[in-house]
């Protein structure tokens, strides 16, 4: 087995053991912190498909994270106020069912990604970065000026949404849901990476012209990857909103896009577990450095600088070595 | 039967015109050598016919379909396989993955490519960037064959390779000619090898086709005047 596989298994084991330890020690805060890691890692797994496999430096993934969050917020707020949504002549009831909310979040973030991708993938390099950023900010300002759903103040949801057979207000049970979804997304990501679609996507990143010469159109590949990526990040947004029982325009902001990108870069661009390690490190540093200094972002910036300069494969790349296919 | 027919092809890099009415045809199963000194328009002709580069005017017909307005991936899907100058394999994919990326239904699959180049089978799990120049060239040819083309274009396929490896590539090209019935358009600097494998040669001079005929008819006068040898 490759060294990277052992590292991945160790990370997975850590994600099982830490919350178990927290249950035994009665540390619900640790469970919530680990849940946050898992959800943000899920968002990173989504971005990693576009950025790591496809080489698409999207600076607007907060758009999908926010769409997922607002899908949850809008549906749950209508359910808790017992008022249906008015869509044209249609009246649509809200819901507190996680399964329905996830489906809506995935579909809407997928449609958003399809629209943004279809326009922005006609550009490349710095223009692609700027267009994705612009779309993210457009949605951010739209959310701010949307008073029906809280505007700048956001929306509070008083009770966490439900999942059949589980008490989602119990931190460990909600953690289990998020962990299973992360594992499913990692499985999708791994399968995708080694499929002929994924190989062509890697090929498009390395030499798009050559890929066209063997009869594959890079645009279609990239758009598909971008949509899948957006859907996974959208699901993470719905879970994040459920974790906090709160959604606000901040979910759409470029800070969020930057943070998701940091998870991927810190852990290792294109590495399956890169976003998981990146998100875990980010949250731990935020927690730890935040306790030491108010300027914790400054120190985080120094660490990120060190990773970019001296550990270009990220944490996973440094531990596992760089000679890995698709890196 | 004519597979590829290029008529009065003109192409330019911005304001600088490179092709001035090139005519070129390749019949089914024919091996055509495209010759000329450096900078005479061989690679530009190939880039234009594979639709990697736009054309100013002229007509390109392939298997009865006009390529004039098609994007390059459509041209490849119609059956034009290109082994580009400089090989350009996907560096961070393994040998097998480089081949899978290009695979389309047809007689050429991994096993058949491995029969032609057994070394690729030995190196199947290695990254293509870790291969020697000769092995990368074999991979580039294998990748083009995996698209199951009707016309295989080899642009400087033996350039920069050791003499022993160069012979291996020429042997493979002869095997392809003898066993596959593929049409081949070959650009190379080795006049002797080209003459031994080609059914017909076309010489380009300053963006125009100036001579066409059987390799046996290439006299010393023609090679000195147009090829500088």
């Amino acid at each position: 087995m490759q060294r990277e596989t052992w590292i991945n298994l160790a990370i997975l084991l850590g994600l099982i053991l830490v919350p178990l330890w927290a249950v035994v020690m009665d540390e619900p805060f640790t469970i919530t912190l680990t849940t946050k890691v898992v959800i943000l890692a899920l968002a990173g797994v989504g971005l990693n498909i576009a950025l790591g496999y496809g080489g698409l430096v999207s600076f607007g993934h907060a758009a999908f994270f926010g769409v997922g969050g607002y899908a949850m917020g809008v549906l749950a707020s209508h359910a808790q106020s017992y008022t249906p949504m008015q869509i044209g002549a249609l009246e649509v009831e809200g819901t507190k069912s996680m399964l329905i909310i996830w489906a809506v979040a995935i579909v809407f973030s997928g449609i958003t990604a399809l629209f943004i991708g279809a326009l922005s993938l006609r550009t490349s390099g710095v223009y692609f970065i700027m267009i994705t950023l612009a779309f993210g900010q457009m949605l951010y300002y739209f959310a701010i000026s949307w008073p029906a759903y809280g505007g700048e103040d956001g929306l509070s949801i008083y009770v966490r949404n439900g999942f059949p057979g589980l008490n989602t207000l119990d931190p460990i049970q909600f953690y289990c849901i998020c962990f299973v979804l992360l594992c499913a997304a990692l499985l999708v990501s791994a399968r995708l990476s080694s499929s002929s679609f994924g190989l062509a996507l890697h090929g498009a990143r390395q030499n798009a012209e050559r890929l066209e010469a063997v009869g594959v159109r890079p645009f279609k590949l990239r758009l598909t990857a971008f949509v899948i990526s957006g859907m996974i990040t959208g699901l993470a947004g719905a879970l994040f909103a459920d974790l906090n029982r709160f959604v606000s325009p901040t979910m759409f902001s470029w800070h969020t896009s930057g943070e998701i990108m940091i998870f991927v870069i810190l852990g290792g661009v294109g590495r399956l577990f890169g976003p998981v390690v990146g998100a875990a490190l980010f949250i731990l540093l935020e927690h730890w450095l935040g306790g030491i200094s108010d300027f914790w972002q400054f120190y985080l910036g120094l660490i990120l600088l060190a990773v970019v300069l001296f550990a270009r494969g990220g944490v996973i790349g440094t531990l596992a070595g760089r000679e890995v296919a698709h890196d | 039967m004519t597979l590829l027919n290029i008529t009065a092809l003109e192409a330019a890099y911005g304001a600088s015109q490179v092709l001035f009415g090139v005519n070129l045809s390749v019949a089914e199963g024919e091996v055509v050598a495209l010759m000329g000194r450096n900078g005479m328009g061989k690679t530009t002709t190939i880039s234009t016919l594979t639709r990697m580069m736009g054309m100013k005017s002229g007509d390109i017909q392939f298997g009865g379909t006009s390529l004039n307005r098609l994007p390059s991936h459509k041209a490849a899907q119609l059956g034009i396989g290109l082994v580009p100058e400089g090989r350009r394999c996907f560096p961070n994919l393994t040998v097998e993955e480089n081949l899978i990326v290009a695979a389309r239904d047809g007689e050429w699959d991994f096993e058949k490519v491995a029969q032609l180049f057994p070394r690729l089978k030995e190196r199947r799990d290695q990254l293509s960037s870790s291969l020697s120049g000769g092995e990368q060239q074999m991979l580039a040819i294998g990748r083009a064959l995996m698209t199951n083309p009707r016309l295989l274009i080899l642009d400087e396929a033996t350039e920069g390779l050791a003499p022993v490896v160069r012979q291996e590539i020429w042997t493979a090209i002869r095997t392809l000619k003898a066993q596959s019935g593929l049409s081949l358009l070959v650009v190379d600097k080795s006049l002797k090898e080209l003459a031994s494998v080609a059914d017909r040669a076309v010489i380009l001079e300053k963006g125009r086709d100036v001579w066409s005929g059987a390799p046996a008819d290439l006299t010393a006068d023609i090679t000195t005047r147009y090829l500088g040898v």
Side-chain angles (χ1 to χ4, degrees):
Chain A
M1 216 172 357
Q2 281 185 337
R3 203 191 316 175
E4 187 168 339
T5 313
W6 285 111
I7 294 167
N8 293 348
L9 285 174
I11 295 163
L12 218 49
L13 196 65
L15 289 177
I16 295 169
L17 291 180
V18 169
L20 278 182
W21 170 85
V23 169
V24 173
M25 303 302 288
D26 194 23
E27 292 268 4
F29 176 69
T30 306
I31 301 173
T32 305
L33 207 64
T34 321
T35 309
K36 192 175 173 187
V37 167
V38 165
I39 293 171
L40 294 177
L42 182 65
V45 168
L47 177 64
N48 200 30
I49 291 172
L51 174 63
Y53 302 162
L56 306 168
V57 188
S58 166
F59 207 0
H61 256 54
F64 317 126
F65 195 66
V67 166
Y70 269 80
M72 176 275 182
V74 169
L75 288 171
S77 70
H78 279 281
Q80 77 183 5
S81 65
Y82 302 103
T83 50
M85 272 177 279
Q86 204 72 43
I87 305 170
L90 269 179
E91 277 197 350
V92 181
E93 297 288 334
T95 180
K96 295 288 282 178
S97 160
M98 274 189 187
L99 291 172
I100 297 172
I101 286 169
W102 295 346
V104 173
I106 289 171
V107 168
F108 274 80
S109 48
I111 292 169
T112 311
L114 183 67
F115 177 74
I116 294 177
L119 294 173
S120 56
L121 284 168
R122 293 176 195 283
T123 64
S124 60
V126 73
Y127 301 103
F128 178 78
I129 297 172
M130 295 317 290
I131 288 184
T132 48
L133 172 65
F135 275 117
Q137 288 302 99
M138 271 166 60
L139 288 173
Y140 170 70
Y141 286 111
F142 175 75
I144 281 182
S145 57
W146 200 15
Y149 297 105
E152 203 165 354
D153 297 329
L155 270 175
S156 288
I157 307 301
Y158 305 120
V159 181
R160 190 168 283 155
N161 297 307
F163 188 91
L166 291 177
N167 172 17
T168 54
L169 280 170
D170 178 11
I172 191 67
Q173 295 192 41
F174 184 61
Y175 174 81
C176 288
I177 292 171
C178 299
F179 179 69
V180 168
L181 287 174
L182 175 66
C183 291
L186 285 167
L187 196 68
V188 168
S189 179
R191 283 287 177 92
L192 198 126
S193 177
S194 57
S195 68
S196 53
F197 168 82
L199 294 176
L201 191 62
H202 290 295
R205 187 187 76 233
Q206 294 168 26
N207 193 336
E209 196 183 56
R210 194 82 344 259
L211 194 70
E212 280 206 68
V214 296
V216 183
R217 191 182 176 209
F219 177 81
K220 234 173 163 178
L221 275 177
R222 286 171 173 158
L223 185 58
T224 311
F226 195 74
V227 171
I228 295 170
S229 165
M231 288 163 111
I232 293 175
T233 306
L235 175 63
L239 289 173
F240 193 73
D242 233 336
L243 173 72
N244 300 322
R245 279 170 274 167
F246 177 68
V247 278
S248 79
T250 317
M251 288 184 79
F252 283 113
S253 88
W254 67 273
H255 289 99
T256 308
S257 294
E259 280 182 8
I260 302 172
M261 201 182 283
I262 288 173
F263 306 151
V264 178
I265 296 169
L266 207 57
V269 177
R271 304 292 181 140
L272 182 62
F273 273 67
V276 183
V277 174
L281 265 179
F282 186 92
I283 299 300
L284 281 177
L285 287 171
E286 182 185 27
H287 186 62
W288 177 60
L289 291 174
I292 297 171
S293 165
D294 285 344
F295 307 106
W296 65 272
Q297 287 103 331
F298 174 77
Y299 299 105
L300 181 74
L302 286 181
I303 291 169
L304 189 65
L305 203 63
V307 168
V308 172
L309 287 175
F310 306 113
R312 295 193 67 182
V315 174
I316 298 268
T318 307
L319 295 175
R322 296 192 66 193
E323 274 301 296
V324 173
H326 315 155
D327 181 14
Chain B
M1 202 177 110
T2 306
L3 179 65
L4 173 75
N5 195 21
I6 299 176
T7 317
L9 181 66
E10 296 195 10
Y13 294 101
S16 170
Q17 187 158 347
V18 180
L19 302 183
F20 296 88
V22 170
N23 299 291
L24 175 71
S25 66
V26 181
E28 296 269 11
E30 189 184 26
V31 179
V32 174
L34 188 60
M35 303 165 114
R37 283 175 294 191
N38 284 341
M40 293 300 139
K42 304 185 295 293
T43 298
T44 305
T45 303
I46 287 171
S47 299
T48 315
L49 89 88
T50 52
R51 309 306 298 127
M52 314 281 282
M53 184 180 160
M55 56 198 265
K56 263 185 87 177
S57 63
D59 184 43
I60 308 172
Q61 295 287 326
F62 181 76
T65 307
S66 169
L67 301 186
N68 297 349
R69 293 183 182 280
L70 288 187
S72 58
H73 69 276
K74 290 275 183 201
Q77 285 168 9
L78 283 173
I80 298 180
L82 172 66
V83 180
E85 191 177 5
R87 305 180 273 273
R88 298 181 210 163
C89 301
F90 299 116
N92 293 349
L93 297 188
T94 64
V95 167
E96 189 175 14
E97 288 169 347
N98 261 277
L99 296 174
I100 290 172
V101 163
R104 270 206 300 277
D105 288 343
E107 59 170 322
W108 286 97
D109 54 14
F110 181 81
E111 288 306 322
K112 195 160 179 202
V113 169
Q115 274 174 24
L116 187 66
F117 298 117
R119 268 206 258 175
L120 293 183
K121 195 165 189 176
E122 293 165 22
R123 306 266 190 268
R124 76 190 288 169
D125 294 324
Q126 253 179 260
L127 291 183
S128 74
S129 56
S130 69
L131 300 179
S132 69
E135 287 163 348
Q136 284 190 23
Q137 190 60 64
M138 292 171 196
L139 181 56
I141 296 173
R143 187 180 57 186
L145 288 170
M146 288 290 281
T147 66
N148 280 287
R150 295 169 71 191
L151 170 68
L152 182 68
I153 303 170
L154 297 133
D155 191 3
E156 306 278 11
T158 64
E159 191 184 30
L161 300 180
V164 180
V165 184
R166 214 179 287 172
Q167 275 317 312
E168 277 186 62
I169 301 291
W170 281 114
T171 305
I173 293 171
R174 284 190 195 93
T175 308
L176 282 175
K177 182 187 176 182
Q179 294 177 5
S180 71
L182 260 176
S183 301
L184 298 173
L185 180 62
V186 190
V187 174
D188 206 274
K189 294 212 167 53
S190 171
L191 187 61
K192 190 180 137 208
E193 298 291 355
L194 267 182
S196 74
V197 77
D199 300 312
R200 198 160 53 83
V202 176
I203 298 178
L204 295 187
E205 171 80 359
K206 293 180 182 168
R208 291 181 175 84
D209 54 301
V210 290
W211 189 89
S212 173
D217 297 335
L218 277 168
T219 60
D221 176 47
I222 294 168
T223 55
T224 308
R225 193 190 318 164
Y226 296 124
L227 305 177
V229 288

